[in-house]
Every structure is written in C-alpha cells, then in structure tokens.
Amino acid sequence: MSAVAKSAPAVIVGTPPFDLARIRRDFPILDLTVNGRPLAYLDNAASAQMPRPVIDRLIQYETREHANIHRAVHYLSETATAAYEGARGKVRRFLNAREEREVIYTRGATEAINLVMHGYGRKFLTEGDEIIVSQLEHHSNIVPWQMLCGEKGCKLRVIPCDERGVLDLDAYGKLFNGHTRLVAITHVSNALGTINPVKDMIATAHAHGVPVLVDGAQAAPHLAVDVQDLDCDFYCFSAHKLCGPTGMGALYGKAGLLEKMQPFQGGGDMILSVTFEKTVYNVIPHKFEAGTPHIAGAVGLGATMDYLAAIGMDNIAAWEHALLSYATQQFETLDGVRIIGTAPEKAAVLSFEVKGVHPHDVGTMLNEEGVAVRTGHHCAQPVMQRFRVPATARASFAFYNTMAEVDQLVAGIRRVQQMFT
Ligand code: PMP
C-alpha cells in the first residue's frame, strides 16, 4: 500500500496569538536534533518540556533558598517556606479555587486520586456502594477505585462512549441509583483527546447528591480551569504535563470535604500534637502533606503557573486548537491512516493507526525522522478495548509546537507507509 494524497489540503495559515519564536527560545530542549533531524516533540500528553524561567527558578531555589520548611526560624527556612506556600497561592489562582487551604500538593494526578480514595473512599464508602467512572479513564482513575471495591465490596459502574469517543450522557444519567457514592471522571481523555462536558456531568451528579472527582491531568495544560465554575468536589493535575517538574502535582478539594476526610499518610507536619495515646491532626491542607514534601517541585510549579499565566490559557488553547485542526486536515489526506477519537470537542491529541503497520513500528520510524510520538495503550487499556486495537500511535501538541512540526509528522507518516508497503 502506498500513501496517496486524496486531495490538496486546505492550508490553514496559523498565526499564534503570541510570539511563538520567542516562546520556543525559552525551551532549550527544542533545539535538539534527533537522528540528524530537528526534534519535533509531539509527546506532550506524556510530559511537556520545561521553559528556561522554570529551570532558572529551580536553580535559584537550590542555590539560594533551600532548607526544610515550616519548622525553623532561620532565614533559609523562612525563605523556603515562603516560596513553597507562595506557590500554593499561584495554584489557587490557576484553578480559581476559593481558598489556598483547598490546594494540596501531591506527587501528581495519580497520588491525588489515591489520596481521595484513601481519605474519602475508605472513610465514607461501604459494601454495596457504587462509584461511577467512564470508559475513557486513564488507569490511575480506575485502579485505585478497583482497589477500594476489592477492599470494601463496592461496585464500579462505567459510562460507555460511542465510536467517536464521546461519552453517552443518557447512559450516565441512568447509572445513578441509591447506592451511588462518587463519580470519578477525566476532564480530557489522554488516549483520544475528548473533552468531556464535566460541568454538566457534575450538575447531574450533584442532583443525585453525589460528589465528583475530576482528573484534570490532560485538561489543566490546555484549558482554562475554574473549579468554582465547574463546581467539582475534587480536581487534580500533574505539574510535569504543564511544563513543570516531575513528581509534583496538586489536588483541589472543597474545604468542607477535605476537613471531613481522614489523612492519607501519617508523619511529620500533618499533626498538631502527638502523644502515645492520641494524635491531633493538623488543619488542611497540612493534614494531607505528611513528611518533607517536594519543596523544589512546588517552587517550580509556582514558576510554571506564572509562565503559563503570562501567555494566557485561552491563547494556549486557541493555538493548540489550530495545530489540531491543521494536523487533522493533513491526516485526512492520507490513505490508510485512521484517526481514533473524533469527538467534536477535542484537546490537541491525535491518536492514529497506520494500516498494516504496528504502532510501535510507526513510533520507531517516526523517531528516525526526529518526530517524538507515543505508542502503546497510553495507560488506557479499556479505551483500546473499546476501539478494538491493541495500541495506537499518538501525537500530542503543546503551545510551543509549530505547523512545520505537523508537516514533519505527516511527511514522516508518508515515509513509514513507503517503507512498509
Ligand atoms: N490521568 C490522565 C488523564 C493522564 O493522562 C495521566 C498521565 N498520563 C494521569 C492521570 C497520571 O498522571 P501522573 O502519572 O503524572 O500521576
């Protein structure tokens, strides 16, 4: 089989709503060449790259500000504490949370979901209770709930999606019954890019008196998130998908719920007093931050929030949408390439199959062309099962990507097709 252009694509003349060349200069890694080609980094849904201001902020912290926090009166400890807590305020603004104490630092989205499972699920759910998730979830929003079901005798109910990757909201409404205790849904699917109508879904759950956790790992990097407007009960994300450090993330929770929850881990900093008879837990958010945290991670996350705010999340969303539209148009000119995930509302994720070529071979060949895409099940095996594929190749865009990189991807796919047919 050879690649044939079906028709000349309509060219979108994309003009980013910011100075893209200047932005790209902030990302030293984007200058790399890979296999003699300019790197086209299109694996942003797995992890985004870090800009110089965030790197510089980390260096500043490690060389001029580091000490343990909250526990000493000396200069460095106070400086580090101010940086750590200051970043919490930036996360609050980023999510538009009401109060800083509603922001808990975590290792990332995975730990945030596990925190809710332990802190809320293990305390409040009992045998026969039900948790609603969707068919689009990442494993990190399935497995913790399955663990809870195994421990407590609860049941997982699943919202199905259609052939486009759009959730069936009628089916969702019908899943509620007197046993439903929690809804845990992703805002944006990492495997398909579908943007779920979480605001409406939250309203439906609340009409049944059920709280909602939103996994924002793939949404926070691409959309303006307003937890008050969504009215979600929990929202989480990972810093490394937002151009920040790995091992860092945040959980937003409504203060009233967080206060009722049990701690996730015990240790230093999460207590007000300890005797062998009794421990009095600290107030939120500290109740959930046992031990010495990832202080540099929090500081780096704060710098990331500043960086993204300066560009503007709406500008980021607009440019990524232009990249996705252009890439989708280009893919439609390729015979033998199937896009998996065609929801009308999508973030900049393009999962695809090249007919007759295993996704891993697609990824390996694209790497020869300097193009970094992800191949595999994307930690979303139920999505793969739904679409009856073992794996896909996935290009995922960030605001620093260019139309030329889309062209490099498309040219790479044509070469893959030539090589394998
Ligand atoms: N949820 C979604 C939708 C994701 O895409 C990911 C990361 N691929 C996670 C959760 C988990 O994020 P992390 O590994 O950073 O905890």
Side-chain angles (χ1 to χ4, degrees), residues 45-46 108-111 113 138 140 186 188 190 215 217-218 238 240-241:
T110 302
E111 188 175 73
I113 296 167
H138 186 276
S140 59
T186 193
V188 169
N190 69 315
D215 172 359
Q218 295 295 343
S238 297
H240 69 97
K241 295 185 197 284

Side-chain angles (χ1 to χ4, degrees), residues 338 340 353 377 381 383-392:
R338 174 164 80 116
I340 298 177
E353 266 193 323
H377 54 60
Q381 285 183 349
V383 177
M384 300 296 114
Q385 287 149 14
R386 167 68 181 79
F387 286 89
R388 297 170 297 281
V389 291
T392 70

